[in-house]
């Protein structure tokens, strides 16, 4: 089946009891045993498994081309489960501009348990220099947040496989509509389902999808089931519903992001636009090779200072000053402020989650804000 069909049908079934076209929400926390003590439907207790979560995991695994998915209550919970699954003393290599929420997890919660280096994973020499005998995982994030760097997945995988190291790709920005890391050799994919999968800024979730069932995946499943950081049946239901429109929503995000990036690149008050769909992007050729489309996220730096960025944001009328991304509404924020004192993000950078408003209105709003701010 094609992606659009998978998105609609892989997480849905006709309810056998009522013949309802849409699956019901199963709120029960526990399930009746059979006469022999077994569980005829396969469900025991909702922390371990639930019909709505099973449907969500099924459609997400199919969309990414994986063999199985595990869903969590947030993207951070999904990422943490990976770190919890590793043996103490394992060394992780991660990007120097890794999403700050997971970077801070490692630095704060896993200090003394795991070791880690945040490096330019796109520099092959630097990457190879940081590989140690105890390196067990290379974490990549492409496009990255918020600098929109592109990592050559196949190149990193080749280096990792030669050393017996696992590769996980955070595919949140791209979604499986724009990029399929498992097909490029990654062992596992992570998403914050709060973003494009949810698509409406009204629920939270996270997911891991694996290329194969192995001992590592078994450990992650144990962390999920024993730790209990799982999404509610209601959240799973709404995520399945949202995913049905994912392919068409992402097409709109991509189209608007490309046009907005092209407009901003020509603006006299803009210093640089970071969007992989622009030929000026440093890794544009890599993006063309490994991405199906270039995503709905962009960042840009202005010819000014931090005060000027706040002036721009405060004069915008359609773009909402808020954290997160992937919703139908356009969001903008000054990432350096959000990330805190150890940020590596330029102080004159603004990150934009391009929504599904009409592009003419978005450009007009940006035009008036940029004119008034300077």
């Amino acid at each position: 089946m094609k992606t659009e069909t998978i998105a609609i049908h892989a997480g849905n079934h006709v309810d056998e009891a009522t013949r309802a076209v849409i699956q019901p929400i199963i709120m029960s926390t526990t399930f009746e045993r059979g006469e022999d003590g077994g569980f005829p439907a396969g469900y025991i207790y909702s922390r371990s498994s639930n019909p709505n979560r099973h449907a969500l995991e099924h459609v997400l695994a199919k969309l990414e081309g994986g063999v199985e998915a595990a869903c969590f209550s947030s993207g951070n919970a999904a990422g943490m489960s990976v770190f919890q699954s590793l043996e103490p003393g394992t060394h992780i290599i991660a990007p120097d501009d890794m999403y700050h929420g997971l970077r801070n997890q490692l630095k704060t919660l896993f200090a003394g348990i795991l070791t880690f280096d945040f490096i330019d994973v796109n520099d092959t020499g630097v990457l190879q220099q940081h590989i140690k005998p105890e390196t067990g995982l290379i974490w990549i994030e492409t496009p990255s947040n918020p600098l929109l760097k592109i990592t050559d997945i196949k190149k990193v995988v080749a280096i990792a496989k030669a050393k017996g190291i696992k590769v996980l790709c955070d595919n949140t920005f791209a979604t499986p509509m724009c990029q399929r890391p498992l097909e490029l050799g990654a062992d596992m994919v992570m998403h914050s389902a709060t973003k494009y999968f949810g698509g409406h800024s009204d629920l939270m979730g996270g997911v891991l999808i694996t290329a194969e069932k192995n001992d590592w995946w078994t450990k992650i499943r144990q962390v999920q089931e024993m730790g209990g950081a799982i999404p509610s049946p209601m959240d799973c239901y709404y995520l399945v519903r949202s995913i049905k429109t994912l392919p068409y929503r992402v097409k709109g995000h991509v189209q608007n992001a490309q046009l907005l990036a092209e407009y901003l690149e020509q603006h006299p008050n803009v210093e640089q636009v970071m969007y992989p769909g622009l030929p000026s992007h440093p890794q544009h050729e890599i993006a063309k090779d490994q991405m199906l489309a270039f995503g709905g996220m962009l960042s840009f730096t202005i010819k000014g200072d931090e005060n000027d960025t706040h002036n721009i944001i405060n004069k915008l009328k359609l773009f909402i000053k808020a954290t997160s991304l992937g919703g139908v509404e356009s969001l903008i924020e000054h990432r350096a402020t959000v990330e805190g004192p150890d940020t590596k993000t330029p102080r004159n950078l603004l990150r934009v989650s391009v929504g599904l408003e009409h592009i003419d209105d978005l450009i007009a709003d940006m035009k008036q804000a940029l004119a008034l701010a300077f």
Side-chain angles (χ1 to χ4, degrees):
M1 291 189 293
K2 301 297 184 183
T3 302
E4 293 85 351
T5 308
I6 291 171
I8 293 171
H9 289 283
N12 197 53
H13 64 83
V14 174
D15 180 51
E16 292 185 3
T18 65
R19 308 313 296 168
V21 172
I22 302 300
Q23 74 275 16
I25 303 171
I26 307 297
M27 297 298 292
S28 180
T29 58
T30 191
F31 298 84
E32 184 182 25
R33 289 180 173 86
E35 291 183 3
D36 59 356
F39 292 84
Y43 300 104
I44 301 172
Y45 188 65
S46 264
R47 174 168 45 76
S48 299
S49 186
N50 170 277
N52 293 106
R53 193 163 89 237
H54 179 263
L56 175 60
E57 290 175 344
H58 183 70
V59 67
L60 290 172
K62 291 293 184 183
L63 284 175
E64 278 286 10
V67 298
E68 196 166 279
C71 287
F72 297 84
S73 55
S74 69
N76 271 18
M80 184 183 288
S81 75
V82 174
F83 306 145
Q84 290 172 317
S85 74
L86 300 174
E87 292 293 325
T90 298
H91 176 245
I92 299 173
I93 294 174
D96 52 9
D97 64 337
M98 182 183 193
Y99 164 59
H100 81 288
L102 292 173
R103 182 183 68 214
N104 290 341
Q105 263 191 28
L106 285 172
K107 292 169 63 177
T108 304
L109 301 179
F110 292 90
I113 301 171
L114 305 172
T115 62
F116 32 85
D117 284 307
F118 302 104
I119 65 166
D120 181 1
V121 294
N122 296 330
D123 187 320
T124 301
V126 171
L127 176 58
Q128 291 176 326
Q129 288 170 12
H130 282 83
I131 292 176
K132 303 175 181 180
E134 65 270 24
T135 302
L137 176 66
I138 299 176
W139 184 289
I140 58 177
E141 180 183 315
T142 180
S144 71
N145 180 8
L147 300 180
L148 279 295
K149 291 181 182 177
I150 301 298
T151 298
D152 189 328
I153 298 174
K154 288 185 287 188
K155 182 183 289 186
V156 172
V157 165
I159 293 170
K161 297 302 183 189
K163 301 284 187 177
I165 300 168
K166 299 294 186 183
V167 175
L168 182 147
C169 180
D170 183 341
N171 202 31
T172 299
F173 268 27
T175 81
M177 304 302 104
C178 298
Q179 184 172 259
R180 299 173 67 80
L182 298 182
E183 293 179 1
L184 299 173
D187 296 285
M188 197 173 295
V189 168
M190 191 211 88
H191 289 270
S192 171
T194 310
K195 310 306 191 293
Y196 287 101
F197 288 147
H200 296 80
S201 303
D202 57 4
L203 54 80
M204 298 192 75
V207 63
L208 298 170
I209 303 108
T210 186
E212 61 175 295
K213 295 182 183 179
N214 50 28
D215 291 343
W216 186 28
W217 184 249
T218 298
K219 187 66 178 288
I220 285 173
R221 277 295 199 186
Q222 289 173 338
V223 172
Q224 180 203 33
E225 293 173 11
M226 296 179 183
I230 53 167
S232 70
M234 186 74 74
D235 283 347
C236 291
Y237 170 84
Y238 280 119
L239 273 166
V240 168
R241 187 181 74 166
S242 292
I243 286 168
K244 293 174 184 179
T245 61
L246 176 69
Y248 295 96
R249 285 189 286 107
V250 170
K251 287 176 185 177
H253 288 295
V254 170
Q255 182 180 21
N256 277 357
Q258 181 74 40
L259 293 172
L260 182 61
E262 291 172 358
Y263 167 77
L264 289 169
E265 191 168 47
Q266 302 302 316
H267 198 285
N269 293 331
V270 172
E271 179 181 70
Q272 182 185 7
V273 181
M274 300 156 202
Y275 182 68
L278 294 176
S280 59
H281 190 285
Q283 295 100 32
H284 178 63
E285 292 302 318
I286 298 173
K288 282 172 60 179
D289 180 61
Q290 73 181 24
M291 298 185 77
L292 305 172
F294 300 116
M297 296 296 300
L298 64 86
S299 293
F300 66 99
T301 54
I302 63 166
K303 294 176 181 176
D305 58 20
E306 181 173 346
N307 288 331
D308 294 316
T309 65
H310 292 299
N311 288 337
I312 291 168
I313 288 178
N314 291 333
K315 289 175 172 59
L316 287 165
K317 298 175 181 178
L318 286 178
F319 291 84
I320 301 169
K321 180 170 61 175
T323 294
S324 201
L325 57 105
V328 295
E329 66 288 326
S330 292
L331 304 179
I332 189 167
E333 70 176 357
H334 184 251
R335 283 302 295 174
T337 298
V338 175
E339 293 176 354
D342 65 341
T343 182
K344 296 184 181 297
T345 299
R347 309 299 299 190
N348 63 336
L349 179 141
L350 292 169
R351 190 192 75 176
V352 182
S353 173
V354 186
L356 298 181
E357 301 92 343
H358 196 285
I359 187 59
D360 291 351
D361 295 325
L362 294 179
I363 289 176
D365 192 28
M366 192 66 73
K367 181 179 180 179
Q368 63 86 22
L370 284 166
L372 292 172
F374 289 91

